[in-house]
Amino acid sequence: MKFSGLARSTPLHCCDGGLQGRSPSQRGAQRVSLGFVMFVALLIVTLSVLAAAVYSVFKKDNHPPGPRGLPLIGQALSIDWGHQDRSFTEWSRRYGPILKVTAGWETMIVLSDPDLIREAFNGPMAVARQSSPGFELIYADKGMVFTSGEIWHQTRRFTLFHLRNFGMGRSRSVEIIHDQIKEFMEEVLEPNKGQPRSVDHSLNIAILNILWALVAGEIVSIKDAKLLKIIEKQEEFFKEARLFFLMANVPGLMLLPEWITGINKIRAIFHYPIDQLLLPALESHRRTVDLTGEPRDYIDCLLQEQSRQPELFTDRHLLRCILDLFTAGFDTTASTLRWAFCFLCGHQEVQQRLHDEILRVIGRERPPELADKASMPYTEAFLMETQRLSNIAGIGVAHVSTAEFQLGGYTVPRGAQVISNLTAVHLDGRLFPEPQRFRPERFLDERGQLRPSRALMPFSVGKRSCLGETLARTELFLFVTSVVQRYRLRFPDGFQHDFAINESKPFVKEPSPYQLIPERRW
Ligand code: HEM
């Protein structure tokens, strides 16, 4: 009895051959039934899609408003993956300071208001990072920048402790920074004084050297070919990685053929610094480290920790920790310095005021010291304005919510990326009047004393804020004061920079290429 209906319906599922041997009226009836079943099936599918669409419009999930995307891929094809802040800023003008964007299976909650960013990033709910099948390809399941939970927590605390011990922002690193500044001035500015030149990769090597000294206890020449190659590979990686970040959000795309995804190429570029620099350094440290003695550098600390916690501090984790300091630390600082030199050339009156302050506080003879900072509000204001307008890390690094929480009157769902649109904050005319104008005075009060703004957050805020902030601030202060103490920087006659970004360099923004002329002041 139970199966009789099924037996009766069998011919309906057959092809036309199943209708053989029946009368024309029977065959007609079967065709009508088949058509009817197909019609009903189509109707059900259409109604389901419509119901899903209507539900998504009217559902009471109280998520923030945002642009509607295509089914399955959301806004994945509309986002500028190299400069996401552009797409987000445009949408935030339309939808407000908290908006929702979907891309592939990812939900992004984008914040363009400093108070909302502080509330979200200081709280416990948005401290994790995104994980994606593609990330394992670049070891991003290890290290500090992209990890979450216990591995991140332990490693961040451990790294901060040891970098402080190695003098990050204190006398030891100041000494190393001074050596690099001296070499940069002697090798790059001095031979070209009076002549136009571009600020080439020597600047990046100088910054990378400072990190390498803390990490591996070694310093190389700023003309070193090996480090130069690593910097070039890093830039190549970021150029190729636009598509990679799209794939991280729509992982199905990784199944496309290699000639479209370029995954093997990305893997090879990613491994270059590991194979050429990091692995050899790790191995040579392993041969000479004293596992119970005084560590010589960060690699020694990592190896000592590995001997105590081998399951957590695997080789892969060690390599990614070192790489994280590199990738997060050298391009960001070098790009900020490129902007600082560009603003100095384009605003001679600002440069003159800065130089006057240097003469008054430091004089000509001795090199600048960190202690001078407190008496140099104009220089500090100049650096703040440089970071505000350059927005080198336009959206910082996305956080991820580990539980649903309320923010700005909306619900942030669990597992959503929580993104700080730092560019939108720094260019908001209500927070910074005439936001496109370079005006360090906005950070000074009527008496010329420093007046910091809570809305300025180039290093982000909260539990995941930049781990290298102290080191970066020290580098920026010492580089700018040392260079302006000795040189007047200007653009070649007839050239004016429009302060636009270099479009060919995604992620970390730097100014479009320019040449400057360093003129000795004395
Ligand atoms: C001007 C220079 C720099 C800028 C503007 C900058 C900015 C940032 C920003 C916006 C973040 C994301 C924070 C967040 O997720 O909320 C970050 C994270 C990070 N930065 Fe920097 N950074 C700079 C230099 C450095 C340096 C020199 C180092 C290394 C010593 C460094 C190491 C890191 C690390 C390890 C993280 C990840 C922190 C975590 O996930 O817990 N940064 N940085």
Side-chain angles (χ1 to χ4, degrees):
M1 278 292 284
K2 219 174 168 192
F3 301 105
S4 60
L6 187 68
R8 255 199 322 269
S9 67
T10 304
L12 290 180
H13 299 289
C14 293
C15 58
D16 253 9
L19 302 177
Q20 294 298 320
R22 300 183 182 216
S23 71
S25 63
Q26 272 178 321
R27 282 207 298 274
Q30 293 289 4
R31 279 208 189 91
V32 169
S33 308
L34 188 62
F36 180 71
V37 169
M38 285 174 66
F39 170 75
V40 170
L42 200 68
L43 193 68
I44 290 172
V45 171
T46 313
L47 286 176
S48 315
V49 171
L50 269 176
V54 170
Y55 175 71
S56 75
V57 173
F58 293 106
K59 71 184 163 184
K60 298 271 179 283
D61 57 15
N62 196 33
H63 290 175
R68 235 150 245 300
L70 295 170
L72 296 177
I73 58 168
Q75 294 290 346
L77 299 180
S78 321
I79 295 174
D80 178 343
W81 289 98
H83 301 288
Q84 294 174 42
D85 53 346
R86 279 187 186 157
S87 319
F88 294 153
T89 301
E90 213 178 295
W91 285 321
S92 73
R93 278 193 205 111
R94 209 173 323 150
Y95 297 102
I98 172 163
L99 67 102
K100 177 175 131 177
V101 179
T102 54
W105 67 19
E106 293 289 336
T107 297
M108 301 169 175
I109 305 296
V110 184
L111 311 175
S112 305
D113 172 272
D115 293 330
L116 289 177
I117 295 173
R118 279 184 194 280
E119 191 180 334
F121 287 6
N122 282 324
M125 304 301 195
V127 188
R129 293 281 197 220
Q130 183 192 7
S131 71
S132 157
F135 279 8
E136 281 167 32
L137 201 94
I138 54 166
Y139 294 15
D141 52 331
K142 300 279 182 259
M144 276 165 290
V145 179
F146 295 108
T147 47
S148 310
E150 194 50 27
I151 189 169
W152 162 74
H153 188 67
Q154 276 209 36
T155 313
R156 181 175 167 113
R157 216 178 33 190
F158 163 89
T159 304
L160 264 176
F161 176 78
H162 287 291
L163 289 186
R164 278 200 197 113
N165 268 1
F166 288 118
M168 189 166 77
R170 300 217 198 110
S171 56
R172 179 149 164 213
S173 65
V174 167
E175 227 173 84
I176 300 168
I177 296 169
H178 270 308
D179 287 348
Q180 291 305 300
I181 295 173
K182 193 161 168 273
E183 201 175 344
F184 174 71
M185 292 203 292
E186 281 172 5
E187 297 286 328
V188 179
L189 298 184
E190 193 58 23
N192 293 284
K193 57 179 188 290
Q195 298 300 317
R197 68 151 299 139
S198 55
V199 182
D200 64 13
H201 282 134
S202 315
L203 179 64
N204 300 53
I205 297 190
I207 301 294
L208 192 55
N209 246 338
I210 296 163
L211 283 169
W212 194 230
L214 296 175
V215 166
E218 282 172 12
I219 291 195
V220 297
S221 151
I222 63 169
K223 300 279 174 205
D224 185 80
K226 199 158 149 192
L227 278 197
L228 181 62
K229 187 89 182 150
I230 281 167
I231 285 164
E232 285 169 359
K233 285 283 174 191
Q234 177 78 15
E235 287 185 353
E236 212 181 313
F237 176 77
F238 279 125
K239 273 187 193 147
E240 296 292 332
R242 258 179 219 256
L243 186 59
F244 179 76
F245 283 102
L246 169 61
M247 288 187 291
N249 289 287
V250 193
L253 293 179
M254 292 181 76
L255 301 172
L256 292 173
E258 159 66 23
W259 61 269
I260 299 180
T261 62
I263 281 182
N264 288 340
K265 191 171 172 199
I266 292 174
R267 187 184 280 125
I269 302 171
F270 168 75
H271 272 273
Y272 187 87
I274 293 187
D275 296 342
Q276 298 298 316
L277 187 71
L278 307 194
L279 261 179
L282 194 61
E283 288 316 315
S284 82
H285 273 69
R286 213 191 289 279
R287 282 193 295 274
T288 51
V289 65
D290 176 356
L291 286 176
T292 52
E294 191 61 26
R296 295 162 295 181
D297 46 41
Y298 183 57
I299 297 185
D300 270 6
C301 298
L302 285 168
L303 287 169
Q304 289 179 343
E305 200 58 29
Q306 186 177 50
S307 70
R308 285 190 280 271
Q309 297 196 69
E311 337 63 50
L312 192 62
F313 282 72
T314 58
D315 275 3
R316 203 175 145 101
H317 184 50
L318 264 51
L319 288 169
R320 185 69 228 197
C321 284
I322 304 170
L323 203 62
D324 274 349
L325 290 186
F326 273 20
T327 44
F330 86 89
D331 210 15
T332 44
T333 314
S335 294
T336 308
L337 281 172
R338 278 204 174 78
W339 280 107
F341 295 152
C342 189
F343 289 133
L344 285 171
C345 290
H347 301 283
Q348 289 296 319
E349 69 299 346
V350 170
Q351 189 176 169
Q352 191 53 48
R353 264 189 87 172
L354 213 146
H355 183 249
D356 291 346
E357 190 173 71
I358 292 171
L359 279 192
R360 185 170 52 76
V361 178
I362 306 169
R364 279 184 176 177
E365 304 306 326
R366 72 168 172 87
E369 288 162 12
L370 265 188
D372 297 323
K373 225 173 166 196
S375 329
M376 300 179 70
Y378 192 77
T379 309
E380 278 283 86
F382 167 79
L383 292 173
M384 286 177 176
E385 184 68 340
T386 297
Q387 291 204 279
R388 182 189 71 81
L389 254 186
S390 58
N391 285 308
I392 57 123
I395 58 158
V397 184
H399 294 207
V400 167
S401 58
T402 44
E404 185 179 285
F405 68 101
Q406 301 300 312
L407 186 67
Y410 294 103
T411 303
V412 175
R414 181 172 183 268
Q417 292 185 32
V418 185
I419 295 175
S420 56
N421 189 354
L422 302 177
T423 303
V425 172
H426 293 161
L427 297 182
D428 185 336
R430 288 162 303 180
L431 302 167
F432 301 102
E434 294 185 277
Q436 296 296 344
R437 266 188 70 195
F438 189 84
R439 224 168 46 82
E441 293 76 14
R442 69 173 83 242
F443 294 111
L444 297 174
D445 66 15
E446 347 26 86
R447 289 174 302 122
Q449 294 306 305
L450 201 62
R451 186 179 49 192
S453 161
R454 271 173 60 81
L456 181 71
M457 43 180 74
F459 297 97
S460 188
V461 288
K463 297 183 169 61
R464 288 212 82 135
S465 67
C466 177
L467 182 136
E469 178 171 349
T470 311
L471 178 64
R473 283 190 191 282
T474 307
E475 289 172 328
L476 295 176
F477 176 78
L478 293 177
F479 256 90
V480 166
T481 46
S482 304
V483 168
V484 176
Q485 184 185 40
R486 192 176 300 180
Y487 299 93
R488 181 168 89 93
L489 304 179
R490 67 175 179 86
F491 289 131
D493 291 339
F495 176 82
Q496 200 42 261
H497 198 283
D498 59 2
F499 306 115
I501 64 168
N502 183 350
E503 291 293 337
S504 68
K505 194 160 173 277
F507 302 111
V508 178
K509 290 189 185 43
E510 65 173 40
S512 60
Y514 63 89
Q515 292 201 314
L516 57 75
I517 299 179
E519 287 173 347
R520 268 301 280 264
R521 289 186 186 265
W522 43 269

